[in-house]
Amino acid sequence: MPKSNTFKLECNCGEVSIQVSGAPAARAYCHCHACQQFYGLPVLAANAWASDALAVTHGNGQLSTYQHPQLRMQRHYCAACGEVLFGSNRLGMAVIRTSLIARAFGGQLPEAYAPTFHLFYAYRLLDIQDALPKYSEGWDGPLHDD
């Protein structure tokens, strides 16, 4: 469990560091087509924070942004090593993969950052067997019926 609700993480090469403060607004597995395509993953395990909860603490000049050509989504990555540090979703929230959060804590994902539900499960590419709620669409929509 984290000692505080502020942590730092950096890209693989160490050229860019960010600091995240506060509790995440959402901790989820996202199965939507946009995340699948944009992040190149069958399911995105991530936490989302308000954009002002994130600050670049080192290497702002090395931080590059890719804007999706049709969607209101961005990936922010290190220009030196190419690692995506965070994304921005259509709600303007900063989205960080749980694998990066785990790396910031020595390889162990603290429970405070573990996903608590599935989003857009109707669009899944993989069936996931867990006890978490699985929303067919967004978190305000109906639960998925198996």
Side-chain angles (χ1 to χ4, degrees):
M1 172 159 274
K3 292 182 172 74
S4 74
N5 49 350
T6 297
F7 65 92
K8 290 185 179 183
L9 58 88
E10 64 183 20
C11 63
N12 279 319
C13 71
E15 288 292 317
V16 179
S17 300
I18 64 173
Q19 179 172 300
V20 183
S21 301
R27 304 169 5 206
Y29 292 106
C30 186
H31 301 267
C32 78
H33 291 311
C35 283
Q36 290 168 0
Q37 183 260 339
F38 198 57
Y39 291 99
L41 299 167
V43 59
L44 175 67
N47 285 211
W49 282 267
S51 61
D52 62 357
L54 185 144
V56 178
T57 58
H58 174 73
N60 197 40
Q62 286 289 343
L63 190 65
S64 293
T65 300
Y66 172 74
Q67 172 67 51
H68 190 285
Q70 287 90 30
L71 304 174
R72 291 179 297 166
M73 296 174 74
Q74 297 177 323
R75 286 190 310 250
H76 306 277
Y77 63 95
C78 173
C81 69
E83 183 168 32
V84 175
L85 290 159
F86 63 99
S88 299
N89 65 16
R90 64 183 174 79
L91 303 173
M93 300 183 81
V95 177
I96 302 174
R97 294 184 336 265
T98 57
S99 59
L100 284 179
I101 298 167
R103 189 167 74 200
F105 290 96
Q108 290 292 104
L109 183 66
E111 184 63 32
Y113 303 111
T116 57
F117 57 90
H118 293 263
L119 292 172
F120 301 99
Y121 197 72
Y123 305 100
R124 71 193 179 283
L125 296 176
L126 303 168
D127 289 328
I128 308 282
Q129 300 300 318
D130 62 24
L132 299 178
K134 294 174 176 73
Y135 294 97
S136 290
E137 301 287 334
W139 60 65
D140 57 349
L143 288 170
H144 180 76
D145 291 327
D146 283 327

